[in-house]
């Protein structure tokens, strides 16, 4: 009972209490506020009742922020509702303060957050930290304009006319219906205009729309397309972290107050409080950037699907490829496939050719160093006469991995056993974990002192390409600096996956290097992820322009790229995973922590029928670059597999078990993730 915000016990749970001179008095009507306290402890994941002081009566509205005293501390919270009486058998504490009378937590978002928390074995407080941005008092005090009545005209079919069901999808949105589609987009640069058209059709029906994208560059493209399509810049907002806390909160308030009826943003925007939601859009749902790194790790695909289901809104999950998760939505009948016919695809797609034979390497030494076969070299030379050429390299940096030049064993730091790398052609090897210079490195296996590249990064590739193509500008785009656009002039654009800039007139050709790096990843999603990265790059190339991929042409992902047929690969991958019992055909939970804590949690969990526990097995602890070299604590990982329809039951069971451990104040936490991206 010491955790509960109560005073000494009294008879009954009435809001009435003995009045003393100078004491605070409860509000005359609905004096009890049910408050969600900002505490992440699972056993406290429920609302608590507080009395509303009479002076705060008018400001204490459902959804507002308050400060309350909880277990002796002042903490933040949200008022969920106000009621006449409390079920609590004891005296109630008063609210300490109403931080803001703005109802920032809407009933729809509160209910959605509750469902997301249960689905992902998390707490409501954790979800609301993702859903409601921090308050900015000065911004909140600003006057906001009256939104008034406004509806755009329904759009012309435009890009959607290229798909057999595209026009009917657009018409359904304009008529106020809720179509759901998994969209396999044609290659090209007009996907942003297509999304803007779908949003315009939704707004024409008097409803709101929400678009979630992977990064700020994509947000900027869709934002510009919306500005052109709607002609009313105040009617839509872009929510990204780059805009800063004050501006982002200002835009979020515009959505909350109904001034803006359309939202485009990155993953945090999935909880934007759009009024009368009529359409949710998720572009490129397979991108790892969509994965939320904070507990309870919700994925926008699941959250937006829940929002569409709860609010009766339409849904559009699109990309140049199709994920196995989206394929499940089509196979279950929840969504329909939105795909162009084969003739249209052949007209729009580039000409893809594999070059996987190492014996076909170009005779030019610089081209050989850049890992260019003769086919890729000749293709690039011809294409440079017509415009820029895109070169996709799977790894960033210069030489991010080294091996012993004699025995080919991995080169590791003598201090922390981290991997060695090289920053430039004149630099000594260094450790990627602790930063130690390893100029005197010696192989512990064979005594060799020379190293060779295990894998070559984008900067080294750009350097070698500069030698192979003298006089041609070489530009890089990656983590150290991302290019947004490039002109039509001849140039070599070396980019890591996801950082490819858009060419004004499309690329004249593309070279996809080191396909084996993507295909050999120890990841359940390696094949579909490799195809996604290849197709995202190839989609930037002009129609019928050449694309050369350095990979074995007989492999299924390469074949899917050659035919521009991601749907068949996704269906094949789903069938394989269904046979093996892997997500998304099944639901899986990952438990990571100390061995004793894992076993304790498993013992406390009432698993649903048909659940299988795999492991626990030891896992490597994450390396801390500042660590002194002391051994990391032992950690294990267990996987729990259940049928797909038991996913929610698994989340609730794990949450209940976490609550038991939290109530007994177990010292070692266990990280629980539902359907994590990394299973292998």
């Amino acid at each position: 009972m010491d955790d509960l915000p109560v005073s000494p016990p009294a008879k009954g749970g009435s809001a009435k209490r003995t009045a003393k001179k100078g004491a605070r008095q409860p509000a005359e009507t609905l004096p009890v506020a049910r408050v969600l306290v900002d505490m992440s402890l699972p056993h406290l994941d429920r609302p608590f009742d507080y009395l509303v002081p009479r002076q705060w009566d008018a400001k204490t509205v459902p959804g507002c922020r308050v400060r309350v005293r909880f277990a002796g501390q002042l903490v933040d919270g949200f008022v969920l509702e106000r009621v006449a009486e409390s079920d609590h058998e004891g005296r109630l504490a008063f609210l300490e303060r109403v931080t803001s009378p703005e109802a920032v937590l809407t009933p729809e978002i509160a209910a959605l957050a509750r469902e997301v928390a249960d689905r992902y074995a998390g707490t409501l407080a954790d979800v609301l930290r993702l859903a409601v941005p921090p308050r900015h008092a000065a911004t909140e005090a600003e006057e906001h304009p009256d939104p008034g009545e406004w509806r755009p005209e329904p759009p012309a079919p435009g890009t959607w006319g290229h798909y057999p069901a595209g026009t009917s999808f657009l018409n359904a949105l304009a008529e106020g219906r809720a179509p759901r589609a998994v969209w396999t987009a044609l290659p090209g640069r007009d996907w942003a205009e297509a999304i803007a058209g779908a949003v315009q059709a939704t707004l024409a029906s008097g409803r709101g729309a929400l678009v979630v994208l992977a990064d700020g560059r994509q947000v900027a493209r869709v934002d510009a397309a919306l500005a052109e399509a709607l002609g009313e810049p105040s009617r839509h907002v872009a929510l990204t972290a780059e805009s800063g806390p004050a501006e982002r909160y200002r835009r979020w308030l515009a959505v909350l107050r109904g001034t803006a009826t359309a939202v485009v943003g990155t993953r945090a925007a999935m909880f934007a409080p759009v009024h009368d939601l009529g359409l949710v859009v998720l572009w490129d749902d397979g991108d790892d950037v969509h994965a939320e790194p904070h507990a309870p790790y919700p994925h926008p695909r699941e959250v937006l699907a829940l929002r569409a289901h709860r609010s009766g809104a339409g849904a559009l999950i699109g990309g140049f490829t199709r994920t196995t998760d989206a394929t499940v939505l089509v196979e279950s009948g929840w969504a329909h496939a939105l795909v162009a016919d084969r003739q249209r695809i052949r007209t729009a797609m580039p000409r893809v050719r594999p070059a996987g034979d190492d014996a076909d390497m170009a005779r030019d030494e610089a081209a050989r160093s850049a890992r260019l076969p003769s086919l890729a070299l000749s293709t690039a030379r011809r294409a440079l006469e017509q415009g820029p050429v895109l070169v996709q390299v799977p790894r960033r940096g210069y030489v991010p991995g080294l091996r012993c030049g004699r025995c080919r064993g991995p080169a590791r730091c003598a201090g922390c056993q981290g991997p060695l790398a090289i920053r430039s052609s004149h630099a000594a090897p260094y450790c990627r974990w602790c930063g130690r210079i390893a100029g005197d490195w010696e192989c512990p296996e064979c005594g060799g002192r020379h190293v060779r590249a295990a894998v070559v990064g984008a900067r080294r590739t750009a350097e070698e390409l500069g030698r192979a193509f003298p006089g041609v500008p070489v530009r890089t785009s990656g983590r150290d600096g991302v290019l947004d656009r490039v002109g039509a002039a001849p140039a070599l654009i070396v980019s890591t996956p996801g950082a490819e800039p858009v060419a004004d007139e499309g690329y004249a050709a593309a070279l996809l290097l080191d396909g084996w790096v993507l295909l050999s990843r120890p990841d359940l999603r390696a094949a579909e992820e490799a195809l996604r990265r290849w197709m995202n790059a190839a989609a930037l190339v002009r129609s019928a322009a050449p694309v050369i991929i350095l990979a074995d042409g007989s492999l299924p992902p390469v074949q899917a790229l050659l035919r521009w047929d991601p749907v068949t690969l996704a269906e094949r991958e789903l069938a394989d995973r269904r046979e093996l019992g892997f997500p998304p055909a099944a639901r899986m939970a990952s438990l990571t922590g100390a061995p004793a804590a894992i076993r304790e949690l498993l013992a406390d969990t009432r698993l649903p029928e048909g659940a299988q526990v795999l492991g626990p097995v030891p896992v490597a602890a994450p390396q801390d670059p500042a660590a002194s070299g002391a051994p990391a604590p032992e950690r294990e990982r267990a996987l729990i597999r259940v049928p797909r329809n038991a996913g929610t039951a698994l989340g609730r069971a794990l949450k209940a078990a976490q609550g038991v451990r939290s109530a007994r104040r177990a010292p070692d936490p266990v990280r629980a993730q539902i359907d994590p991206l990394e299973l292998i």
Side-chain angles (χ1 to χ4, degrees):
M1 292 294 293
D2 55 342
D3 285 326
L4 299 179
V6 297
S7 301
K11 295 181 180 180
S14 171
K16 297 180 180 179
R17 53 189 298 169
T18 304
K20 295 182 180 180
K21 186 176 181 180
R24 288 183 292 182
Q25 297 298 313
E28 294 183 358
T29 58
L30 302 180
V32 178
R34 290 199 169 136
V35 178
L36 178 73
V37 181
D38 189 8
M39 299 286 286
S40 295
L41 297 174
H43 72 290
L44 300 178
D45 186 26
R46 58 185 176 86
F48 292 90
D49 291 350
Y50 287 85
L51 288 175
V52 179
R54 188 169 295 173
Q55 66 267 33
W56 299 117
D57 185 15
K59 293 185 177 182
T60 307
V61 297
C64 72
R65 306 179 203 248
V66 294
R67 293 276 282 176
V68 297
R69 192 164 295 279
F70 190 91
Q73 298 180 345
L74 275 176
V75 295
D76 295 319
F78 294 98
V79 174
L80 297 181
E81 61 176 335
R82 287 182 61 172
V83 296
E85 291 191 354
S86 171
D87 296 331
H88 176 66
E89 294 293 332
R91 287 189 176 178
L92 301 179
F94 277 99
L95 300 176
E96 292 294 327
R97 184 170 73 251
V98 176
T99 307
S100 166
E102 187 85 41
V104 293
L105 180 60
T106 65
E108 187 232 342
I109 298 301
L112 173 68
R114 176 76 277 166
E115 192 167 357
V116 170
D118 293 342
R119 162 72 175 79
Y120 283 95
T123 64
L124 182 56
D126 282 340
V127 178
L128 291 183
R129 289 195 196 103
L130 305 176
V132 182
R135 180 176 181 249
H136 196 275
T139 303
E140 198 172 88
E142 296 174 356
E143 294 185 4
H144 62 280
D146 183 2
E149 290 291 333
W150 175 84
R151 290 189 186 185
E153 292 295 324
T159 301
W160 291 110
H162 298 161
Y163 303 86
T167 302
S168 60
F169 175 79
L170 208 63
N171 291 339
L173 291 173
E175 293 167 3
R177 289 181 282 153
R180 299 171 186 159
V182 172
W183 172 36
T184 307
L186 287 167
R189 295 169 293 163
D190 56 357
W191 59 270
E193 288 74 16
I195 291 176
V199 171
Q200 181 181 351
T202 306
L203 268 58
S205 70
R207 300 174 299 167
L210 171 59
V211 182
V212 176
L213 303 143
D215 57 44
R217 293 190 304 144
Q218 293 180 355
V219 170
R221 290 172 198 164
V222 176
D223 186 43
L226 280 173
E228 183 176 351
L230 300 180
E232 288 279 343
S234 64
R235 292 296 176 165
H236 77 278
V237 294
L239 297 180
T240 60
E242 288 81 2
S243 56
E247 180 59 27
R248 187 177 187 278
Y249 192 57
R250 182 177 294 109
R251 297 178 184 181
W252 187 87
L253 284 176
V255 180
L256 177 70
R257 295 166 177 173
T259 304
T261 53
V263 176
V264 53
T266 49
R267 63 172 178 263
M270 60 185 167
F271 292 105
V274 179
H275 290 208
D276 193 13
L277 187 63
L279 175 68
V280 296
V281 180
L282 179 62
W283 174 256
D284 200 9
D285 66 304
D287 196 322
D288 292 351
V289 177
H290 284 304
E292 175 59 55
H294 301 106
Y297 321 105
H299 195 284
R301 181 179 48 245
E302 297 288 332
V303 174
L304 294 180
L306 284 173
R307 288 196 74 172
H309 177 74
R310 294 181 59 87
S311 59
L316 180 63
I317 299 175
F320 293 119
T321 59
R322 183 196 284 185
T323 62
T324 51
D325 301 86
T327 303
V328 168
L329 298 179
V330 174
E331 288 193 358
S332 66
W334 189 87
H336 295 283
L338 195 53
V339 187
D341 56 52
R342 289 304 305 174
Q343 183 58 43
R344 175 68 67 173
I345 293 173
R346 293 189 190 99
T347 302
M349 66 180 285
R351 292 185 294 106
V352 185
R353 296 180 63 184
D357 187 1
D358 291 339
D360 190 36
M361 281 293 172
R363 295 181 181 179
D364 184 282
E365 183 59 34
R368 188 193 305 272
S369 299
R371 307 175 314 289
L372 291 184
S374 298
L375 175 61
L377 180 65
S378 59
T379 298
R381 282 178 175 165
R382 289 193 300 270
L384 283 169
E385 299 175 0
Q386 305 172 30
V389 173
L390 176 64
V391 182
Q392 186 191 71
V393 182
R395 297 286 180 89
R396 58 185 173 87
Y398 190 77
V399 178
L402 294 172
R403 293 186 179 275
C404 174
R406 180 187 297 175
C407 71
R408 304 296 191 265
R412 296 191 174 276
C413 175
C416 70
Q417 296 302 305
L420 298 185
I422 295 178
R423 289 192 176 95
S424 70
S425 59
H426 304 293
Y430 77 101
C431 177
R432 289 167 53 194
W433 285 359
C434 67
R436 174 180 175 181
I437 301 298
D440 58 348
W441 179 83
E442 180 178 329
C443 179
E445 299 297 329
C446 68
R449 291 181 174 274
H450 298 285
V451 294
R452 61 174 292 165
V455 64
V456 178
R459 283 195 289 116
R460 172 64 180 271
T461 301
E463 183 180 291
E464 299 294 349
L465 285 173
R467 298 191 184 104
F469 297 90
V472 177
V474 180
R475 304 177 66 184
T476 60
S477 181
R479 181 176 179 179
D480 296 333
V482 178
L483 300 175
D484 185 40
R485 307 188 75 88
V486 296
L492 287 167
I493 311 299
V494 182
S495 172
T496 52
E500 299 91 351
V502 175
D504 289 341
E505 298 179 8
Y507 288 99
L511 310 179
L512 310 178
L513 304 187
D514 299 338
W516 61 270
V517 174
L518 295 178
L519 292 172
S520 61
R521 291 174 58 194
D523 189 346
L524 181 68
R525 302 165 54 246
E528 87 176 60
E529 177 63 10
L531 180 62
R532 188 189 70 82
R533 296 186 179 189
W534 293 336
M535 293 187 77
N536 282 358
L540 301 175
V541 178
R542 302 167 188 169
S543 299
V547 172
I548 307 300
I549 177 169
L550 272 63
D552 184 353
S554 65
L555 297 174
V558 182
Q559 282 291 311
L561 178 64
L562 298 179
R563 300 190 309 270
W564 206 269
D565 184 16
V567 175
T568 299
L569 180 72
E571 292 172 345
R572 174 176 176 170
E573 284 281 306
L574 180 58
D576 290 344
R577 295 190 205 176
R578 184 173 285 119
E579 184 176 349
L580 298 172
F582 283 126
R587 295 287 193 191
M588 272 196 174
S590 169
L591 308 178
T592 308
I598 293 286
R599 286 162 176 78
E600 181 182 275
L601 180 61
L602 288 173
D604 290 336
T605 305
R606 293 185 177 182
L607 295 175
E609 185 177 352
Q612 292 179 286
V613 179
L614 310 177
V617 296
V619 295
Q623 181 68 29
D624 182 3
S628 60
E634 185 180 1
R635 298 166 73 247
E636 288 186 347
R637 185 190 195 196
L639 296 176
I640 304 175
R641 176 166 58 193
V642 298
R644 183 172 176 83
N645 58 6
T648 301
L650 174 62
R652 289 174 176 165
L654 286 174
K655 180 180 176 180
Q658 291 275 47
V660 171
R661 297 191 73 249
S662 172
R664 70 166 71 115
R665 301 183 180 180
D668 297 319
V670 176
R671 180 182 183 183
Q673 284 185 276
I674 304 294
D675 291 344
L677 287 179
E678 296 181 1
L679 282 174
I680 300 176

